[in-house]
Amino acid sequence: MSGAGTTSGGAVPTPEELERLAGEAEAAIAAAGDRAAWEAVRVHWAGARQGRLRELQALIPRAADRKMFGQAFNRLKSRVEAALEARDAELARAEIAARASEARVDVTLPGRRPPTGSLHPVTLVLAEIEEIFRGLGYSVAEGPEVEEDRFNFGLLNFPDDHPARDAQDTLFLEDGRLLRTHTSPVQVRTLLARRPPIRVICPGRVYRNDNDLRHSPMFHQVEGLCVAEGITVGDLKGTLEAFLTRLFASDTKVRLRPSYFPFTEPSCEVDISCQLCHGTGCPTCSGTGWMEILGAGMVDPRVLENCDLDPDRYSGFAFGLGLDRVAMNKWGIPNIRSLFESDERLLRQVRG
Amino acid sequence: MRFSLSWLADYVDLGEGLELETDPAGRHSTRRITEAAQRKASQIGEKLTSVGLAVEGYPVQTFDGGGRAASGAGEPGLEVEVTSNRPDCMCHLGLARELAVALESTLRPPSIPLYGSLSSDGSSGAVVLEDPEGCPRYVARVIRGLKVGPSPEWLRRRLESIGQRSINNVVDATNFVLWEMGQPLHAFDLGTLPGGEVRVRRARAGERLVTLDGKERELDPEVLVIADRERAIAIAGVMGGLATEVTAATTDLLLESAHFDQRRIRIAAKRLGLHTDASHRFERGADFGVCDEASRRCAALLAELAGGVVEEPAVDAVARRPRPVAWRLAGADLARFTGADVDASSIERVLSGLGFAPRAAGDGLWEGEVPPWRAADFEPRRPRPATAAPAGAPGEAYPQDLYEEVLRHVGFARVAPTLPGLGGVDAGVNPGHALRGRVQRALAGLGFAEGIHYAFHDQAADDRLPVVVRAGAPLALANPLSERYAILRRSLVPNLVAAAEFNARHGAPGVRLFEVGRLFPGGAAEEIEAVAAVAGGPAGGPWDGPAPCDLLGLKGIFDALLAELPAGPFEARASELPGVTPGTGAQWLAPGNLVVGWFGRVASADVPFELFAGELLLSRLAVEPRPRRVVAPSRLPSVRADLTLTHPLDLAWSVLAAAIDAAPDPRRVGFRIKDRYRGEGVPAGAVATTITFEYNAGERSLTQDEVNESQSRLAAELERRFGVAREEPR
């Protein structure tokens, strides 16, 4: 392509002519109404092979004052490039605006959800408890659900033929074993398998021969055990306070009341300030302002001896918490049995 | 257990507020229940609760007799949960002892006449102790010339105030002493005892006795009885016999106040299914020391109420004395163990008040003996081999048992909270627990809701669906809640199918449920941790656009789950399984052809959609503790090319895939199935499978010619081995 345009044909334009060309180019670029026009004007001016800029650049060696011509050319080139770029951005914005009006979607329509699942409330409560105790340096221990009498009762200082066993309505197997009535046998198994210091929590399913509106024959406990030299009642109290004020509201009050369990001495029931009324008294807490939450105590010296540990050297504490009640409390689940009937309408509402 | 506040007031000063009246004999009663009285009751209840005797209610006993049924008339009561280690608190005097310490007051025990008794080692005169283990002490006191009749009002009210019924003056007197001092007593009509003699022995096999409730009971040698020379007349510590019962005609009686062995009474009560106020106390441990005192207390009442003459001396036969238990307490050890700073005067006050009679034994050191009424809760320390105690020496109490006594009364509030001074983290590891967490999170992420079900189901469920590991018969419960819960499960699937049916009944168009739990293969086989899932119908609404679940959809869930776990590779092998629709069942195989699970379509489930299920035994997966390593991808994009092979329908994908794997090509980096097609152009009995191959030469670009060459070589090989001719399009 040659001979097209006012400055072709070999004559070297003056800097003033270049200045005028810049104005011409800017006007043409600004006039490009769409992407195709812009492309045409770009090829005309800045095309890599035969654009006007390229042609003018080729004239530099022939200019009388090459320096002055070169500077004028560079000004022209920058103005053209800047104009192209600016117009390109304007066109792009216009295009986006145009597309948007065509592709309008009612964004208030529900999204298309990929299927999402849910974890069981008990799993979520346990995960929370585990995280708290991992932070306190505890590990997780587990044991069998079908237990021998000695682990569930005997070594835990429940004598044979003692009424203390009545408190735990036991489901027995025909082979003489039983379904563990609490997670405490894992304490004994841990104390027999390892030497102190020991800090474990033992979560799991437990079973009782009990089935009514408030009781389920299967439920969940988590047992905590800390045995070392010099563990005190204060350590038990401090650990429970640290635990319960993280699991429940941070201003939760914790109260220890003396009680009795065969495997701890001293033993206590632990109450927390009612999570509903914050201690002022309401129907949920029977007006007392307190909710019974777990049982605890110092590991009975007889249990330590049963596990070949010298109670004059070692001491420790243990506690046991029902996970199901905590889950029910947390999510407002009214009936313990609804935890175990897998109604997806309930399960899928549960979020951690 | 019910207690009367005015009765407690006989032994301890409860302070103002109850509006007590006092009769000439010093017995207290309440005529009216005022608000102040109720406030007082709850104050006392809180005190008792704070020392370990949880008060669970404040029942009010109203009276209709005596024309006093004015409004508000009645006795304020306490409902106390007495734990099984505190038989001493199952009576008013015992509870008053705790209350006196809690209120920093003084106990006022009743004054009891000193009727004479003749103590003897072993059997004596009218009392023969044939089983010294079962009955170490028996006090027999004779009271003559009684007139059986109604009890006076104060006694009737006392018993009614704790929910007991008045019977006659003799029975009421024994019951009064039971609820006052905790000692069960029994009155025999002396006229029915040949020679006035009683023997305490084991029952003979097949021996029969009609008890006071009119039932004939068959006894056996595990049961301890009171007998005359020939036959059993009462079940020791449990219930008397009808033949020797006190009747309106009785004038002379033998009053029994004995000590029976806890275990022996428990066994008898359980065997006979007979639980009484007496057995309740004896099986928790009665007070060896109180037998004679309680007998004298009752005798005095019988003299007062029924005009009886107490014969002296009574027989107090002792076959075996309990070993005393000595205790020692160092204040510094107490402070170290509890983390509470307890002053010496509090220690002394609490232990004295509770009957431990502390003697100062040096600086901050006390010692004494455990009172007999607390013996059951102070089982002595086992002898340590190095320090064998001489025979007959007192037992040694665990100091922790004493710490508890002090701490109960000074209160846990005095203990400063601390954290154990242990650094680092515990040494225990539990990979199984971590694996369970991964599985739960993975399946929840795949759209499944986690359920938890009972670990038991009925026998039919065990037979109906596949069980991977059977070790003999399933574990059966000896005392199941019902036949529905008769055996321990060996598969999680039956409960999940039942849950799917539950959801379908409640209108669910589809289900996606999983459970992680233990399986019980049977016998002594170890428990197996497993995961199972059921799926059927769509996972969401029509708007969300998911297709209903099908078999490969369910398999894909397991594929995705298994891919999460650093184990495997796993493969599925077609398998006919019970309860699974023929042609849809498969077993999951781990390396070495170990069966680790199954999946398939559930043949019969009461749901309006096809239901698929699968199970995986997590305990059997050899999960590696370390994460899997990755292969660094090429810097250059791969070239993909499709190949469609028409082959017989019964050629398994696994065979085809193995054939591709067996035709090595360094440029081929992967392949996956794209589509399967049956229909026009594909002959009957055949299927067209389209596979996408991926080629990559790593550091350099592949040319199309190279890809074509690889692809046609493989195509020719697969065609030759598996191909069938395609039909010409019509």
Side-chain angles (χ1 to χ4, degrees):
Chain A
M1 194 211 285
S2 68
T6 52
T7 61
S8 64
V12 176
T14 63
E16 291 70 27
E17 282 172 324
L18 290 182
E19 186 73 17
R20 187 178 50 78
L21 278 175
E24 225 176 85
E26 282 170 346
I29 291 165
D34 58 21
R35 184 62 61 186
W38 180 86
E39 183 62 17
V41 78
R42 185 193 68 79
V43 169
H44 177 76
W45 285 101
R49 290 191 189 167
Q50 285 150 349
R52 291 294 302 278
L53 289 175
R54 176 102 185 169
E55 287 171 13
L56 291 166
Q57 191 175 12
L59 296 177
I60 294 173
R62 290 167 48 197
D65 186 338
R66 282 176 16 199
K67 188 179 176 194
M68 184 179 287
F69 183 84
Q71 286 170 347
F73 170 76
N74 283 338
R75 280 194 299 275
L76 166 66
K77 186 176 179 228
S78 323
R79 284 175 64 181
V80 169
E81 282 172 354
L84 281 168
E85 202 176 304
R87 187 62 188 152
D88 178 45
E90 283 168 22
L91 287 171
R93 276 195 292 277
E95 278 160 19
I96 289 169
R99 239 193 338 266
S101 66
E102 282 162 29
R104 182 178 297 278
V105 171
D106 178 359
V107 296
T108 65
L109 282 170
R112 298 191 204 283
R113 286 180 64 161
T116 49
S118 55
L119 291 171
H120 195 276
V122 168
T123 302
L124 289 170
V125 168
L126 177 58
E128 220 175 310
I129 292 172
E130 257 183 65
E131 198 177 313
I132 295 167
F133 278 100
R134 279 190 198 282
L136 293 171
Y138 285 62
S139 71
V140 175
E142 289 178 353
E145 292 173 21
V146 170
E147 264 297 5
E148 294 169 37
D149 185 282
R150 65 195 177 113
F151 288 118
N152 196 74
F153 290 125
L155 293 170
L156 284 166
N157 196 38
F158 286 81
D160 288 346
D161 295 308
H162 193 275
R165 293 182 174 219
D166 292 350
Q168 308 200 351
D169 263 343
T170 309
L171 284 165
F172 292 98
L173 299 192
E174 280 178 349
D175 66 11
R177 290 182 295 167
L178 48 84
L179 283 167
R180 65 178 177 192
T181 57
H182 47 182
T183 42
S184 306
V186 188
Q187 268 189 38
V188 176
R189 288 178 174 273
T190 303
L191 290 174
L192 286 170
R194 291 176 45 194
R195 296 288 91 179
I198 287 171
R199 273 170 294 170
V200 292
I201 56 168
C202 322
R205 300 186 188 209
V206 300
Y207 304 85
R208 305 259 173 106
N209 193 350
D210 217 347
N211 196 18
D212 57 41
L213 279 177
R214 287 186 44 78
H215 298 93
S216 159
M218 184 197 79
F219 55 101
H220 298 79
Q221 280 187 344
V222 62
E223 191 93 359
L225 175 71
C226 173
V227 174
E229 291 181 35
I231 299 295
T232 67
V233 179
D235 293 337
L236 166 63
K237 188 174 172 184
T239 300
L240 291 176
E241 284 184 1
F243 165 45
L244 294 169
T245 52
R246 281 170 174 79
L247 184 63
F248 298 99
S250 59
D251 61 350
T252 297
K253 296 201 174 26
V254 177
R255 176 175 86 169
L256 278 60
R257 278 189 284 121
S259 188
Y260 168 70
F261 305 107
F263 43 100
T264 49
E265 183 90 22
S267 305
C268 55
E269 295 279 3
V270 179
D271 301 331
I272 55 170
S273 46
C274 177
Q275 298 294 296
L276 242 63
C277 65
H278 304 284
T280 54
C282 69
T284 299
C285 58
S286 312
T288 62
W290 294 96
M291 299 168 70
E292 195 174 310
I293 193 77
L294 55 82
M298 300 300 286
V299 179
D300 194 289
R302 298 161 185 89
V303 174
L304 293 175
E305 284 180 343
N306 289 342
C307 299
D308 293 323
L309 291 172
D310 177 0
D312 291 335
R313 179 173 170 197
Y314 295 109
S315 57
F317 61 76
F319 59 87
L321 167 83
L323 297 176
D324 316 79
R325 299 254 164 241
V326 175
M328 289 164 69
N329 197 286
K330 216 169 179 109
W331 283 280
I333 298 168
N335 182 333
I336 186 161
R337 288 203 270 186
S338 53
L339 285 175
F340 307 125
E341 62 191 14
S342 287
D343 188 334
E344 287 195 43
R345 294 172 301 176
L346 183 136
L347 292 177
R348 288 180 183 272
Q349 293 177 55
V350 173
R351 289 287 177 273
Chain B
M1 194 164 273
R2 282 276 285 277
F3 290 88
S4 151
L5 275 167
S6 56
W7 195 341
L8 286 169
D10 285 4
Y11 317 118
V12 60
D13 185 359
L14 298 179
E16 299 295 305
L18 287 173
E19 296 189 25
L20 295 165
E21 292 179 16
T22 313
D23 74 7
R27 298 181 188 107
H28 295 84
S29 60
T30 315
R31 296 292 175 214
R32 284 170 43 77
I33 302 292
T34 60
E35 270 185 33
Q38 281 173 330
R39 270 199 305 279
K40 186 75 197 174
S42 61
Q43 272 172 25
I44 289 166
E46 277 163 29
K47 269 286 174 206
L48 284 168
T49 301
S50 76
V51 300
L53 292 149
V55 173
E56 299 183 320
Y58 300 92
V60 170
Q61 179 69 41
T62 52
F63 306 102
D64 47 9
R68 289 183 205 275
S71 84
E75 281 278 355
L78 300 172
E79 184 65 41
V80 185
E81 189 204 342
V82 182
T83 52
S84 64
N85 63 322
R86 297 303 303 272
D88 62 302
C89 286
M90 292 173 185
C91 61
H92 284 78
L93 198 52
L95 201 68
R97 186 184 293 117
E98 287 286 338
L99 208 43
V101 177
L103 296 170
E104 305 197 20
S105 175
T106 318
L107 185 71
R108 294 187 301 252
S111 70
I112 297 170
L114 279 169
Y115 299 118
S117 61
L118 196 63
S119 185
S120 70
D121 286 341
S123 306
S124 162
V127 176
V128 182
L129 302 182
E130 294 184 11
D131 182 0
E133 286 300 318
C135 177
R137 184 176 187 190
Y138 197 105
V139 175
R141 181 164 268 119
V142 170
I143 296 123
R144 294 185 190 274
L146 296 141
K147 187 165 171 11
V148 175
S151 292
E153 197 206 340
W154 72 264
L155 181 53
R156 286 204 315 274
R157 282 192 59 159
R158 273 279 149 96
L159 292 173
E160 283 169 19
S161 70
I162 55 165
Q164 301 285 309
R165 198 164 47 87
S166 169
I167 295 165
N168 60 45
N169 50 7
V170 173
V171 176
D172 289 359
T174 60
N175 276 335
F176 176 85
V177 175
L178 172 75
W179 289 99
E180 179 186 55
M181 303 176 80
Q183 171 67 6
L185 305 169
H186 185 68
F188 295 98
D189 183 335
L190 189 63
T192 65
L193 302 180
E197 185 185 301
V198 289
R199 298 170 167 267
V200 189
R201 60 164 168 84
R202 299 290 190 90
R204 302 188 183 103
E207 191 167 9
R208 285 171 180 279
L209 170 68
V210 179
T211 42
L212 276 176
D213 53 7
K215 292 200 177 123
E216 182 176 65
R217 300 180 186 271
E218 186 173 332
L219 311 176
D220 66 60
E222 286 295 304
V223 176
L224 190 71
V225 295
I226 315 298
D228 61 18
R229 284 169 187 169
E230 264 130 49
R231 62 208 161 106
I233 56 170
I235 298 162
V238 183
M239 190 180 271
L242 198 60
T244 52
E245 183 188 24
V246 172
T247 65
T250 302
T251 56
D252 303 341
L253 56 80
L254 183 147
L255 182 67
E256 165 194 296
S257 178
H259 189 78
F260 298 115
D261 177 58
Q262 282 175 253
R263 223 179 129 247
R264 183 57 48 210
I265 300 308
R266 163 101 170 157
I267 288 170
K270 278 201 110 173
R271 287 201 167 211
L272 300 170
L274 194 56
H275 299 277
T276 60
D277 286 336
S279 71
H280 193 76
R281 283 162 180 78
F282 281 124
E283 66 185 22
R284 282 160 178 73
D287 177 2
F288 182 92
V290 83
C291 296
D292 184 53
E293 207 181 339
S295 169
R296 285 188 277 115
R297 174 70 164 162
C298 187
L301 278 173
L302 290 171
E304 176 192 335
L305 308 175
V309 177
V310 181
E311 201 171 274
E312 294 183 79
V315 175
D316 183 357
V318 178
R320 182 173 58 88
R321 278 178 204 284
R323 186 170 164 227
V325 178
W327 62 264
R328 245 172 114 77
L329 186 145
D333 290 345
L334 172 70
R336 220 176 353 261
F337 182 81
T338 57
D341 191 18
V342 185
D343 54 290
S345 65
S346 293
I347 294 174
E348 282 179 12
R349 180 180 64 79
V350 170
L351 291 177
S352 308
L354 294 177
F356 285 79
R359 296 185 298 273
D363 194 21
L365 196 65
W366 294 270
E367 57 186 27
E369 235 175 61
V370 174
W373 60 86
R374 295 300 303 277
D377 198 25
F378 280 76
E379 189 207 332
R381 204 171 178 140
R382 273 166 232 167
R384 279 164 287 191
T387 58
E396 179 193 349
Y398 286 97
Q400 287 86 339
D401 289 356
L402 270 298
Y403 301 158
E404 176 170 49
E405 294 305 307
V406 176
L407 196 56
R408 273 194 310 122
H409 280 278
V410 300
F412 282 98
R414 285 271 282 272
V415 175
T418 51
L419 283 175
L422 300 171
V425 296
D426 186 72
V429 286
N430 193 331
H433 182 74
L435 175 65
R436 180 188 315 128
R438 287 180 82 145
V439 167
Q440 286 167 316
R441 287 190 299 273
L443 283 169
L446 289 164
F448 280 64
E450 185 185 17
I452 293 178
H453 306 110
Y454 295 163
F456 15 74
H457 54 207
D458 62 5
Q459 176 67 51
D462 186 67
D463 302 328
R464 199 163 52 225
L465 283 158
V467 169
V468 178
V469 184
R470 287 180 198 272
L475 293 178
L477 291 174
N479 54 338
L481 289 143
S482 78
E483 280 312 302
R484 277 177 62 203
Y485 306 133
I487 60 166
L488 293 183
R489 61 185 175 180
R490 306 200 269 198
S491 165
L492 303 173
V493 174
N495 282 332
L496 282 166
V497 170
E501 292 172 335
F502 175 93
N503 280 283
R505 274 201 303 282
H506 290 81
V511 294
R512 299 283 186 286
L513 280 169
F514 79 96
E515 181 174 12
V516 177
R518 299 273 177 85
L519 304 182
F520 306 86
E526 261 188 48
E527 292 167 21
I528 294 173
E529 178 118 300
V531 58
V534 290
W543 176 259
D544 301 311
C549 186
D550 61 11
L551 186 68
L552 293 180
L554 185 273
K555 185 192 178 197
I557 294 296
F558 279 87
D559 286 337
L561 172 64
L562 288 165
E564 277 293 309
L565 309 178
F570 301 94
E571 60 176 293
R573 180 174 66 192
S575 182
E576 292 308 314
L577 301 169
V580 172
T581 306
T584 69
Q587 289 179 318
W588 283 113
L589 301 180
N593 277 351
L594 178 71
V595 179
V596 294
W598 64 275
F599 66 91
R601 179 177 162 191
V602 178
S604 90
D606 187 13
V607 291
F609 41 76
E610 292 183 358
L611 187 68
F612 303 91
E615 184 160 44
L616 208 52
L617 309 189
L618 297 175
S619 311
R620 286 203 161 185
L621 307 182
V623 173
E624 290 159 21
R626 277 179 305 184
R628 269 175 309 192
R629 300 187 65 79
V630 299
V631 177
S634 168
R635 288 186 304 110
L636 299 167
S638 295
V639 179
R640 290 188 175 77
D642 286 357
L643 185 154
T644 299
L645 176 72
T646 303
H647 60 79
L649 201 47
D650 59 6
L651 172 68
W653 165 254
S654 59
V655 175
L656 187 54
I660 296 169
D661 277 331
D665 182 334
R667 298 167 191 155
R668 193 175 67 233
V669 293
F671 66 93
R672 63 203 307 182
I673 188 163
K674 184 178 181 185
D675 188 34
R676 289 202 120 188
Y677 173 72
R678 293 170 70 190
E680 206 174 323
V682 179
V687 63
T689 300
T690 300
I691 307 163
T692 300
F693 291 89
E694 188 180 337
Y695 296 95
N696 198 308
E699 289 303 302
R700 68 177 181 85
S701 294
L702 280 171
T703 65
Q704 193 60 45
D705 287 346
E706 286 173 307
V707 171
N708 290 348
E709 190 233 311
S710 282
Q711 188 83 339
S712 33
R713 187 151 31 89
L714 182 64
E717 164 75 3
L718 297 178
E719 263 325 319
R720 185 183 63 73
R721 289 182 60 186
F722 307 116
V724 297
R726 299 188 67 145
E727 287 173 356
E728 288 307 313
R730 276 163 288 193

